[in-house]
Amino acid sequence: MLKIGVTGGIGSGKSIVSSIFKVLGIPVFDADSYAKNIMQTDAALKNAVIELFGDASYQNGQLNRKWIADIVFKDPAQLEKLNAIIHPATIKAGEEWASQQASPYTIKEAALFFESGSAEGMDYIIGVFAPQHIRINRVMQRDGISREEVLNRMKRQIQEEIKMRLCDYVIINDDQHLLIPQVLQLHHHFIEESNQ
């Protein structure tokens, strides 16, 4: 079974691309959602987060995302510490999940494939590309945050052009190119390859 990664910078539209694969019957593991979930449910991880960022990391038992985002997107060292706690657990869960699937290929969606070192476990990586101005507007609307906050988050990811060069395939999501035909073309290619 082929393992395909889907990545892209914040606001690129990787979740939309992954949802199209899902409609085609391909199982999708959303690493970012999983990471948020285990920060909420795994007691050992919760304690590690509290130790790192203080009691304000959780309010009424709920992860205080804004508090943590304000810290890690201004301080690369703190972001590295957070990632060191979360990435290993997320990578392991993704591998276990993939081993239980019975399809020609699986999709793992993650923002930080190259940054986390999890790209090595994939057969191919698909990059989802959108110009920066479109990405900024999407994230501002989606998350209700300022342009400055979006730019701070973008600074913590590999530069988009470099990330796309590291990918095996690139899907353009610039509101000009249709997404479904691009996904279908890759879907047929992966099905064909998995049948060889």
Side-chain angles (χ1 to χ4, degrees), residues 11-192:
S12 62
K14 57 192 171 299
S15 296
I16 292 168
V17 167
S18 294
S19 67
I20 298 169
F21 280 108
K22 212 181 273 184
V23 168
L24 294 169
I26 301 303
V28 174
F29 180 82
D30 181 345
D32 300 339
S33 291
Y34 179 83
K36 285 174 189 161
N37 185 44
I38 57 166
M39 285 175 75
Q40 194 61 58
T41 56
D42 184 301
L45 269 179
K46 246 176 151 169
N47 289 336
V49 170
I50 290 168
E51 203 172 294
L52 196 55
F53 302 112
D55 291 334
S57 304
Y58 291 85
Q59 286 183 322
N60 304 320
Q62 297 296 305
L63 181 67
N64 187 347
R65 290 190 212 294
K66 175 124 180 59
W67 166 264
I68 291 172
D70 285 347
I71 296 169
V72 300
F73 291 118
K74 289 177 185 155
D75 184 343
Q78 293 293 78
L79 180 60
E80 254 180 62
K81 288 176 189 171
L82 178 64
N83 287 340
I85 295 170
I86 296 163
H87 284 159
T90 306
I91 290 167
K92 185 172 178 244
E95 287 167 357
E96 285 171 7
W97 170 86
S99 72
Q100 295 163 6
Q101 304 309 311
S103 62
Y105 69 95
T106 59
I107 295 284
K108 179 181 176 185
E109 176 193 334
L112 305 175
F113 263 110
F114 303 109
E115 297 90 332
S116 71
S118 61
E120 285 108 54
M122 299 290 112
D123 293 301
Y124 298 108
I125 305 272
I126 300 167
V128 182
F129 176 81
Q132 186 171 346
H133 69 279
I134 292 176
R135 293 169 53 217
I136 291 168
N137 288 334
R138 285 176 185 161
V139 178
M140 284 170 66
Q141 287 177 353
R142 182 190 73 195
D143 296 351
I145 59 175
S146 71
R147 179 183 173 80
E148 187 186 352
E149 286 174 293
V150 178
L151 289 169
N152 268 338
R153 292 180 185 188
M154 286 180 165
K155 275 190 239 166
R156 302 289 167 241
Q157 296 182 341
I158 291 177
Q159 194 180 11
E160 197 68 354
E161 287 73 20
I162 294 169
K163 185 177 274 194
M164 292 304 113
R165 282 202 295 270
L166 293 170
C167 295
D168 301 292
Y169 304 95
V170 175
I171 288 177
I172 307 294
N173 183 24
D174 59 359
D175 301 334
Q176 305 293 314
H177 295 76
L178 294 173
L179 280 181
I180 293 173
Q182 294 180 80
V183 173
L184 276 172
Q185 187 177 359
L186 288 174
H187 173 67
H188 294 308
H189 172 71
F190 297 140
I191 295 282
E192 214 172 271

